[in-house]
Structures are given as structure tokens and as C-alpha cells.
Amino acid sequence: MTLTELRYIVAVAQERHFGRAAQRCFVSQPTLSIAIKKLEEELSVSLFDRSSNEVKPTETGERIITQAHRVLEEANRIKHLAASEQNELAGVFKLGLIFTVAPYLLPRLILSLRKLAPDMPLMLEEHYTANLTDSLKKGELDAIVVAEPFQEPGIITEPLYDEPFFVIVPKGHEFEELDAVSVQQLTEQQVLLLSEGNCMRDQVLESCSKLASRQRILGLANTLQGSSINTIRHMVASGLGISVLPSSALTDNDHLLFSIIPFEPPVPNRRIVLASRRNFVRPQALQALRQAILKSQLTGVRFAEA
């Protein structure tokens, strides 16, 4: 059994295809297939079910591949320990962010990180929390920026910032006369939400239980949805309904499109955290990233202590 063979089975498990896995590992498909067959013979088990169009790990294969992830990560840790004299802040850092954070944080984060770690470029991925978590566990990402609640075995989190939600309404809407909007008043309106699978949708509904009840009564087919915050913004501006956005997503020029009204206390809010694997091999790089976020001057949020 070799690390190369373990890399091959991990690649096949992720790609669900021998050809794509071979391309990813920069070898020919026969080379990869022979190596995996050799490993299966050594272990006396079938690692993959090859009977369908999509290659899938067997039940035993799943457990072995999970362990292979751990072995490869520990092997990578040995390399970093051997190179401990080198600068942890040099080299690519793979960062994932949820869709509702990335567009607003990244422009400020990049500027801040250039000063703190100029030799640490970011390889970025935007996705839903579930997808980012899976990539983090597999070692495909070094850290992810997500919203609470977030708890995963083997993953630790550090707070980044808290931000309140605001109500946005079309120009001329009756709420423009209010100093603040109550959750009850919100539930009486046509509220536009992000599509299912987006954690911010869940956060808004959790903060406004009566709104959640109304959405369940209406059903998904009758719920107005948008695929992104930017889409929601423009649907509100066009007069289709009202919505709820985090403070970081609001800009100085938004008053030209729609009106922004605060909530009555207690104000719904969300906490954004930085998540990483326990015993991550570049702790200094992780802390540099966190410091860059805390110094990013993102507007409308309350940053955690450094």
C-alpha cells in the first residue's frame, strides 16, 4: 500500500469516474486502474462498484477512503513539520465562502490580506455550507467562512463578526413611514427569500418564526424566491415584494433603488465564523487570514475581538 494508491482511490471517489480521476492525478487511466486493482487485491476487498455508469465506493470502500483522507492529511502534515523553518505565510491558501458572504467580504479581505500576508494568494470557492463543509473535511479547502449555527466533528470555529438584518422595501412602500419594522408586520407582507439550500434563508426564517409558519402554509410553489442577494435586491426594487438582507450586503447607493428600514428590537442577526480542521498544519496562515478579515473594514458589522 502506497500514498500514491491512496491518492488514486480518493480521486476516484471524488470524481466518480476513472478517466477524470486519472487526469486529476496526471497519469494515464490504465496506470490508475492497475494501481487501484493492485490495492484491492492486497486488501482483498472491492473498493468501488463498477456496475453502473457512475463509479461509486462500496460500503467497505467508503470506510477505507475516509481513512485514506486522514492518512494523506497526516502525510501532508509531516511535510509541513519538516519545513517548519519556512514561512507559513508563503504559498496558496484555499478558502471557501458561502454565497451570501463572498461578494461583500472578498474585495475588502483581499486588500487587507495583501498587507498582512502578501505572499499568500487565495484560491477561492463559493458554495453552500454543506458543500464547503464536505470540501473542508476532505482537505480540498484549508478553511471556510460560514454562518452559525455550525457544528461538525473534527472542525473548530472562530468568530469573525455579527451583523444585523434589515428590511428592504420598494420605493413608495407603506413601511417607509416607519422608524422600525416588527416581525409581525413583516409576516403580513409578500417577502422574497433566497432559494432553498441557502443558509441565510434558514437564518431569516429562524429569526422570524411567524414568517416561517406563513411560508410553510403558502408552500414552496407560492413562495417568491431569488437565487442570489443581488437578484433579491433587484426584484424588490422592481416592486415585486419586500425582503430581508444582512447589513454587509447594503451599499451607500442602495437608497436609489429601494428603502432600508431597521427591525424593532430584538433585531434578527447572524454570526459569521471561520472554520478549519482541528490541528490544521498552517496555524499562522489561518490566524493571518482571520486578522485580515477583522481588519477588512466591512461596514455595518460588529467584529469579534482579535
Side-chain angles (χ1 to χ4, degrees), residues 11-240:
V12 172
Q14 292 173 349
E15 296 292 340
R16 295 292 201 265
H17 191 277
F18 280 91
R20 291 195 298 270
Q23 291 177 349
R24 174 171 163 178
C25 295
F26 302 103
V27 296
S28 67
Q29 183 172 336
T31 297
L32 179 136
S33 298
I34 291 171
I36 292 178
K37 191 65 178 175
K38 176 176 172 290
L39 180 60
E40 288 179 320
E41 291 173 354
E42 179 184 343
L43 298 175
S44 299
V45 296
S46 293
L47 297 173
F48 296 99
D49 180 0
R50 301 166 172 84
S51 61
S52 61
N53 292 332
E54 183 181 64
V55 180
K56 296 181 180 180
T58 62
E59 186 175 339
T60 301
E62 284 279 11
R63 294 196 295 271
I64 291 173
I65 290 163
T66 298
Q67 185 61 35
H69 277 295
R70 298 192 184 107
V71 172
L72 292 172
E73 185 161 335
E74 288 303 314
N76 192 44
R77 182 171 177 78
I78 290 173
K79 291 180 181 179
H80 281 282
L81 289 173
S84 58
E85 297 297 320
Q86 299 180 12
N87 183 9
E88 281 190 24
L89 303 186
V92 173
F93 191 98
K94 296 173 290 184
L95 178 67
L97 307 95
I98 53 177
F99 290 120
T100 58
V101 166
Y104 316 106
L105 176 61
L106 282 177
R108 297 173 182 270
L109 168 59
I110 298 300
L111 294 176
S112 181
L113 192 61
R114 280 180 188 170
K115 299 177 182 178
L116 289 177
D119 298 321
M120 193 174 78
L122 296 178
M123 182 177 292
L124 299 166
E125 179 179 342
E126 294 181 47
H127 223 304
Y128 296 116
T129 299
N131 301 80
L132 295 177
T133 303
D134 188 50
S135 295
L136 179 64
K137 289 180 175 179
K138 291 177 179 177
E140 297 169 354
L141 292 172
D142 296 326
I144 59 176
V145 176
V146 294
E148 288 188 341
F150 182 85
Q151 285 186 324
E152 291 289 334
I155 304 296
I156 58 174
T157 62
E158 293 186 270
L160 294 173
Y161 58 84
D162 297 312
E163 62 176 333
F165 287 119
F166 284 83
V167 179
I168 64 170
V169 303
K171 289 294 185 181
H173 192 276
E174 59 185 293
F175 281 4
E176 287 181 323
E177 304 298 322
L178 302 175
D179 294 326
V181 176
S182 69
V183 171
Q184 177 60 43
Q185 289 170 315
L186 186 73
T187 62
E188 297 167 357
Q189 298 288 319
Q190 185 78 287
V191 181
L192 284 68
L193 297 171
L194 286 169
S195 53
E196 285 196 311
N198 199 303
C199 64
M200 201 189 87
R201 171 195 175 94
D202 298 333
Q203 291 155 2
V204 171
L205 292 177
E206 286 173 10
S207 299
C208 310
S209 58
K210 292 181 180 179
L211 177 61
S213 298
R214 181 173 181 270
Q215 296 300 324
R216 286 192 291 270
I217 292 170
L218 287 175
L220 182 61
N222 295 314
T223 302
L224 293 176
Q225 301 181 84
S227 59
S228 70
I229 284 181
N230 206 36
T231 301
I232 292 285
R233 288 156 50 90
H234 288 98
M235 287 197 293
V236 169
S238 74
L240 186 61

Side-chain angles (χ1 to χ4, degrees), residues 198-299:
N198 199 303
C199 64
M200 201 189 87
R201 171 195 175 94
D202 298 333
Q203 291 155 2
V204 171
L205 292 177
E206 286 173 10
S207 299
C208 310
S209 58
K210 292 181 180 179
L211 177 61
S213 298
R214 181 173 181 270
Q215 296 300 324
R216 286 192 291 270
I217 292 170
L218 287 175
L220 182 61
N222 295 314
T223 302
L224 293 176
Q225 301 181 84
S227 59
S228 70
I229 284 181
N230 206 36
T231 301
I232 292 285
R233 288 156 50 90
H234 288 98
M235 287 197 293
V236 169
S238 74
L240 186 61
I242 71 173
S243 191
V244 177
L245 295 187
S247 58
S248 61
L250 300 172
T251 71
D252 292 338
N253 294 324
D254 280 343
H255 69 278
L256 300 175
L257 290 173
F258 46 73
S259 296
I260 303 167
I261 308 163
F263 274 99
E264 288 183 357
V267 176
N269 66 89
R270 68 173 181 173
R271 168 164 288 189
I272 304 301
V273 300
L274 181 65
S276 61
R277 296 182 300 281
R278 197 177 300 277
N279 300 320
F280 177 57
V281 295
R282 295 173 65 190
Q284 293 179 26
L286 191 66
Q287 285 308 306
L289 177 72
R290 182 172 185 265
Q291 290 302 314
I293 294 174
L294 298 183
K295 295 180 179 180
S296 63
Q297 298 182 343
L298 192 62
T299 57

